Amino acid sequence: MSDMYGKGILKGLSVSLKRFIETYLDDLSWWGKRYHTDAGIAHRGSKDARGIFTVQYPEEKIPTPEEFRFVPFLVYDEGPNGEKALRCTSCGICTKVCPPQCIWIVRATDPATGRPIPDPAKFHIDADICMNCGLCAEFCPFDAIKMDHDYELASFHRNVFDETRLSKPASYYASIRPANAAREDAARAAKAASRMVQSE
Amino acid sequence: MESNELNSPETNIPPELQGQVAITSLDRLYNWGRSASVWPLMFGLACCAIEMICAAASRFDIARFGMEIMRPSPRQSDLMIISGTVTKKMIPIIVRLYNQMPEPKYVLAMGACASGGGPFKEGYNVVSGVDKFIPVDVYVPGCPPTPQALLNGLMKIQEKIRSEPIKTARWYQKGPDMAEIPVPILGPDLIDPRNITLFPNGERN
Amino acid sequence: MVIPAPAQFADLTARFPEVLKPDTRPGYAGWILDQAALLEFASALRDEFGYDYLSSVTAVDYLAENKMEVVYHVYKTTGGSGVVFKIQVPRSDPIEVPSLVSIYPGAELQEREAWDLFGIKFTGHPDLRRIFMWEGFAGHPMRKDWHEPYFEEEAKPLKSRWPDGKIVMAESKNLYGDNISYPEGFSPGNQTFDPEKALYEALRNYQKDEIGLDTDHIIVNMGPQHPSTHGVFRVAVVLDGEKIVNLKPVMGYLHRNHEKIGERNTFIMNMPYTDRLDYLSSMSNNFGYALAVEKLMNVKPTERAEYIRVMMAEMTRIANHLMAIGALLNDLGAYFTPMLYALEERELLLDIFEAVAGSRMMCNYFRFGGVARDLPEGTLQMIKGLFFERLPRKIDEIDRFLSENEIIRSRGIGQGVLSAEDAIKYSAAGPLLRASGIPYDVRRAEPYSIYDRFEFDVVVRTNGDIYDRLMVRFDEIRQSIRIVQQAVKQLPDGPVMALKPMYQVRVPPGEAYGRVEGPKGELGFYVISNGKPTPWRYHVRAPSFINLTAFGPICIGQKIADVVAVLGSIDIVLGEVDR
């Protein structure tokens, strides 16, 4: 026991009091810019944060870091006339590496010959089985399946996503993961260039 | 809630009175009150429960939605957040808790496991989605959903509450209360009393 | 680690020349013991050779050879590598093996697990009941010939997913529309037994106090839905007034079949599943599993990856201990305020995990031979800022906030005592063991990864009470900060992967036991490969689970109100207890 009964409690309460005062000091030092500004949100999530810590979702959102992963999506490249070309070749590597086996792919066939063509006819992800592990995106050789940043998926029904729901443009991908997209684009361009050289 | 949200859109307020007078319907006022004081059951199952605790903690603070009063007793709560994998050993207890909650009651399936079995779906002790036994109002995908995704789901619950007029909501009508859901039994495997008829040679009279 | 050379065991083989044979299967190590000599061997091992700490007991089903094997891993609390010995029994019915509880009481829950999942009867076990599944469940699910209702194939990837993966929900393929199947001829009408009966029978089996008043003892059930059981944990206690005379932990409410699913997954697929074991410290779980598989593959991670791994594992320890401190204070009645302080710092750590690994809790960051990706730009700055400026100050603040509080001191000091001998006896690990005065930390006892390069102290307190367990966590946070600071300073440049990233790794046949000092204690992964893409056996030595062996003995004699405090001070996570 400490020398004076209640001293420990008072000491603890002083920590709380300090926190209370710090909130107002921090508010003052930001001149009202502590809330609803990007700098303010970043400050509250930084090592210098003091006082109140709350991010007022939905008005404010914590910025998602580049590597953040939620349910995957399929990347498509936009053609000059707005046509959508899914990067997916239905090679099936994502289905083979998916730990809970939540990806179903039907391979498309050429209507004329009946042979399989590198395109998915159907692509389903059961978002209520998906464990957001990111292995599909990590091992996809065509940069076709990527992990999304959109976490606001709450709905009134069970979520099984099909290829239309899953497709998102490459520009969206570049906007959520700029560094990764730039690196992958460069790698793909280099590969294409080397293939050109070889074929010549 | 902003005053313009509370205002009934069908009523035109003269321009000189705007900002001073709010006209609303009883429904809106009542449901506004209800949606801003949803008390969840303090009930964590698995990984998602930790994100639920984080959502209740200082950074996300569900007190801003009037939901910080997590009741450990089902008798006092409105919302059941199924935060994690529902196992066969646990489902009788979950059903019993649900039966004990007073109406109107809501269920939020948080995360993949509660919604559809999730990554553990194939496991021998896992129920593939709590909706096999109790009705679910909102499904929140994610494994686990971040606290913000959970808040998004809770806002969906509020949205649902706001769309329930007093006149037609079932629990304000005359008649019996909602029938209790039969509690599953633990036998050689989980037995759902509602499925007794499915047994090839089931003779339960 | 398995024993390298039989040299140090010359005496052991000399002592048991007839019954002890080296395990000569390729990739395997250790000894195969004749089961008749098990008890004699184990007591000699403990008393004469000093192997006083039973780390893991598990079973392996060798279906093709028609035998079951029980595997024991035993260590010395003074450090060093351990002994692995195995008992082989034919796969007849019933399968019987002598119980080791009389020599190593830490085997109690683990043997119950092996009985529940493999159907191995441990003769002489004081309380052999099912532990995860309920009494009356049909079959022993971890046996290789037992298939669950949603069973599709022996190994993933499932063929139904590609190339014509018409989406079919597993439940729509099952007659009952749910994950259930029944033994032939079963009908619900003849369901008469009570799955709870065995528990209550076991509860009533205790030493009655002969002196004193003849009062009725009452049974109280706490949980599985209870605010302070840290999840879906149930405690059944027998009370004499307010005093606890018997206590049984009841678990399995979150038994998610990690091991069964893990034996169907390919090696890499198990990595994200390990995140969900102890979901508060996913990086350590990754670490343990990666170590075990790397041992099998004989791969060494790159230097930079090793440093990143250590940094992440230590950050996980801090995040976990913060949560544990907050939760313990919740249980002691300081509802939520200390938790808010602790979670604030934890959030900042989670931000780092989110930036590095992509998820706040389920990091899935380790790969065999390294880590999934290098630290993204700016994260090293975040780590530096947090670990050099903020955390040391904040931990002191939380310490000041809590540890002199009179209520905490009076509820913690001298309460829930676990003596040093008992801690070893019950195979307690982590802060629970170290608070009882045993300086046993796998990072020092048998250094893995690059822990031998860092300066840190093994935290020890001597009273073994609730307060000391709380203080051990504070001190461990400080040591972890020290390690991260050193790692940040020494972090070399270079690649983070030693291998080419492959979605299916080749793992040579053999066995490996990878163990790390997780935040909750010694976390071990026992993996057996038979050269196929999926492990033949994947067992987790879960510290929270085994620490619960000591839970009953600590509580007996205490008051009912202390149960939650003791449980909070043990710091369990149900994902790991039940797996």
Side-chain angles (χ1 to χ4, degrees), chain C residues 395-414:
Chain C
I395 296 305
D396 289 345
E397 188 183 281
I398 297 177
D399 195 356
R400 197 161 65 239
F401 181 48
L402 299 175
S403 46
E404 280 178 44
N405 187 307
E406 281 79 2
I407 300 170
I408 295 170
R409 292 177 72 92
S410 61
R411 285 212 58 187
I413 295 177

Side-chain angles (χ1 to χ4, degrees), chain C residues 528-562:
Chain C
I528 292 181
S529 164
N530 58 356
K532 300 240 170 65
T534 57
W536 180 255
R537 181 78 178 105
Y538 162 75
H539 172 71
V540 187
R541 188 253 185 233
S544 323
F545 171 61
I546 295 164
N547 283 353
L548 279 175
T549 321
F551 180 44
I554 297 177
C555 284
I556 290 173
Q558 301 276 315
K559 299 278 185 285
I560 176 77
D562 292 324

Side-chain angles (χ1 to χ4, degrees), chain C residues 443-455:
Chain C
R443 292 176 293 177
R444 268 288 152 74
E446 195 190 350
Y448 53 94
S449 187
I450 50 166
Y451 274 106
D452 45 356
R453 298 185 200 170
F454 298 108
E455 266 180 45

Side-chain angles (χ1 to χ4, degrees), chain C residues 126-325:
Chain C
D127 182 20
L128 195 68
R129 284 177 291 123
R130 278 183 178 265
I131 188 161
F132 294 141
M133 304 309 288
W134 56 91
E135 222 44 69
F137 182 77
H140 297 285
M142 280 300 289
R143 289 189 177 189
K144 286 285 178 185
D145 51 0
W146 194 95
H147 290 149
E148 53 268 81
Y150 281 174
F151 176 77
E152 278 189 57
E153 277 173 62
E154 284 293 350
K156 289 176 182 174
L158 306 176
K159 295 194 177 61
S160 62
R161 301 298 196 264
W162 179 86
D164 34 30
K166 302 258 166 20
I167 181 165
V168 183
M169 297 284 159
E171 46 264 53
S172 61
K173 283 190 268 185
N174 188 299
L175 167 67
Y176 303 101
D178 200 358
N179 193 3
I180 41 180
S181 64
Y182 300 97
E184 223 159 286
F186 170 77
S187 78
N190 48 33
Q191 158 89 9
T192 48
F193 67 91
D194 176 12
E196 301 280 86
K197 205 173 134 219
L199 166 68
Y200 290 121
E201 267 166 21
L203 264 180
R204 282 191 204 100
N205 181 18
Y206 57 87
Q207 206 70 47
K208 296 217 173 44
D209 192 6
E210 295 300 334
I211 343 153
L213 291 172
D214 183 23
T215 49
D216 267 358
H217 291 179
I218 52 167
I219 294 177
V220 174
N221 275 294
M222 251 181 70
Q225 189 258 338
H226 188 279
S228 51
T229 51
H230 298 222
V232 282
F233 182 62
R234 176 172 156 203
V235 189
V237 285
V238 185
L239 293 177
D240 175 11
E242 265 193 77
K243 209 179 91 193
I244 293 164
V245 290
N246 200 6
L247 179 145
K248 295 274 174 201
V250 187
M251 43 199 124
Y253 294 96
L254 192 59
H255 180 47
R256 307 192 273 195
N257 331 125
H258 266 278
E259 293 182 6
K260 187 86 179 172
I261 294 174
E263 286 169 17
R264 186 165 308 131
N265 285 345
T266 61
F267 283 93
I268 186 86
M269 282 180 189
N270 271 338
M271 193 58 86
Y273 275 98
T274 61
D275 291 340
R276 287 153 181 82
L277 283 168
D278 174 357
Y279 34 77
L280 288 170
S281 40
S282 59
M283 291 280 195
S284 315
N285 303 342
N286 283 187
F287 206 161
Y289 180 61
L291 278 185
V293 179
E294 278 163 6
K295 229 179 248 180
L296 277 174
M297 292 169 71
N298 207 6
V299 179
K300 221 182 128 31
T302 61
E303 275 292 290
R304 187 177 170 83
E306 292 270 33
Y307 277 90
I308 295 177
R309 282 179 170 196
V310 167
M311 273 158 59
M312 292 301 152
E314 294 309 314
M315 280 157 67
T316 299
R317 191 182 315 277
I318 299 172
N320 175 77
H321 282 353
L322 283 169
M323 192 82 185
I325 291 166

